[in-house]
Amino acid sequence: MIKINKLERHYKTGDVIVKALNGVSFEIKQGEFIAIMGASGSGKTTMLRILGLLDKPTKGEYTINNLNVVDLPEEERGYYRLTQLGYVFQDYALINEMSAAENVYILSLMEGKSKKESFITAKEALEKVGLGDKLSRVPDQLSGGEKQRVAVARAIAKKPMILFADEPCANLDTRTSAQVLEVLKILNKKFGQTIVMVTHESWHTKYVSRLIKLKDGLIVSDTKLPR
Ligand SMILES: Nc1ncnc2c1ncn2[C@@H]1O[C@H](COP(=O)(O)OP(=O)(O)O)[C@@H](O)[C@H]1O
Ligand SMILES: [Mg+2]
């Protein structure tokens, strides 16, 4: 599904060039649940942003289903992001004035679905993450773990080909982190959702099917994990 080859991303600050990614190659198959780990500054976020078409590499190749997604015009990359990819970030990025259902619903509307269809999709997605009874709660009336599950529901409502999550449990305690990870695991195992997740907690790896470790912009290990 995903193939990257000799990917590099250089950042220039003044005269200094940082090679945040320094020649990374791997493939991701449909249905994998991948954790990307590594010390702070090892290039995890840079990698996820490039895979999620939120940034471009300085060098190297990146294809999704044999389509060269790096060189697509920006409008097509935007359309691809909207229709094919889902994102969960550590700060939830929910709209405070809107209910859980509306936060999920708005993305379907943006995709051009009818109001009725959007509501049904939102309700189904919230049921999948175990929030079917909290549709009308606004973010202030939800716990951190519940907010993150709304963000997961929003991301999966459009049935993305790939779900990207950058430290989705960074602001959660252990118990609520486990709830969010359990939801991701069910999405992956039961619904076959492909997930790429950045994390810094080694206990999170028990939920995933493969672990890629980065160090200084390079892959130092790539391991399939039993589940
Ligand atoms: N926008 C940027 N401008 C300059 N340097 C950056 C930028 N983003 C990241 N970096 C540098 O690239 C390296 C990798 O960063 P990042 O991908 O955020 O790592 P991680 O997510 O693993 O902590 C770090 O040295 C970081 O300082
Ligand atoms: Mg990061």
Side-chain angles (χ1 to χ4, degrees):
M1 173 187 245
I2 279 185
K3 272 188 199 170
I4 62 171
N5 188 32
K6 297 185 184 138
L7 216 62
E8 296 187 25
R9 175 66 165 99
H10 307 171
Y11 293 113
K12 196 160 183 282
T13 354
D15 290 340
V16 184
I17 292 178
V18 175
K19 293 190 174 179
L21 295 178
N22 198 7
V24 178
S25 306
F26 61 77
E27 292 187 18
I28 298 175
K29 293 199 179 72
Q30 195 178 344
E32 286 194 292
F33 184 0
I34 294 181
I36 298 177
M37 290 192 75
S40 180
S42 57
K44 304 182 298 294
T45 293
T46 301
M47 168 75 88
L48 203 77
R49 286 175 50 82
I50 291 174
L51 293 176
L53 306 189
L54 300 166
D55 186 22
K56 284 189 177 189
T58 310
K59 283 185 191 171
E61 291 142 30
Y62 174 21
T63 60
I64 305 179
N65 296 331
N66 298 316
L67 176 70
N68 173 351
V69 285
V70 175
D71 296 331
L72 287 179
E74 199 45 52
E75 310 90 79
E76 283 183 44
R77 280 167 59 90
Y79 187 72
Y80 205 93
R81 285 193 294 268
L82 183 65
T83 56
Q84 307 289 337
L85 308 178
Y87 306 91
V88 177
F89 300 107
Q90 50 184 263
D91 60 0
Y92 325 125
L94 300 177
I95 299 167
N96 284 324
E97 289 72 23
M98 289 186 169
S99 69
E102 286 164 339
N103 263 286
V104 178
Y105 172 95
I106 187 169
L107 242 165
S108 309
L109 273 186
M110 276 168 64
E111 270 189 279
K113 289 188 183 141
S114 71
K115 286 185 180 173
K116 189 174 173 205
E117 195 188 347
S118 298
F119 182 75
I120 293 170
T121 309
K123 188 163 170 283
E124 279 173 0
L126 284 160
E127 281 165 357
K128 266 189 200 162
V129 300
L131 292 175
D133 56 343
K134 293 185 177 162
L135 301 181
S136 55
R137 298 266 190 106
V138 294
D140 276 350
Q141 301 167 327
L142 296 167
S143 71
E146 288 169 340
K147 278 189 266 208
Q148 192 56 297
R149 282 188 281 152
V150 174
V152 171
R154 180 184 52 194
I156 62 165
K158 59 183 181 182
K159 301 190 177 65
M161 184 166 56
I162 310 160
L163 179 62
F164 296 101
D166 193 358
E167 304 208 20
C169 301
N171 297 317
L172 306 177
D173 62 31
T174 308
R175 199 174 63 88
T176 41
S177 295
Q179 288 173 3
V180 169
L181 291 163
E182 197 58 47
V183 164
L184 293 175
K185 184 175 168 177
I186 290 168
L187 285 171
N188 170 253
K189 276 198 126 175
K190 193 167 159 198
F191 301 100
Q193 176 68 56
T194 307
I195 304 173
V196 184
M197 172 177 78
V198 166
T199 177
H200 61 272
E201 297 272 1
S202 50
W203 66 271
H204 293 178
T205 57
K206 73 178 183 203
Y207 295 88
V208 307
S209 65
R210 179 173 164 197
L211 171 62
I212 294 175
K213 282 192 184 167
L214 289 182
K215 190 180 175 197
D216 301 331
L218 288 167
I219 293 182
V220 288
S221 72
D222 183 348
T223 326
K224 286 223 157 48
L225 298 177
R227 287 195 296 168

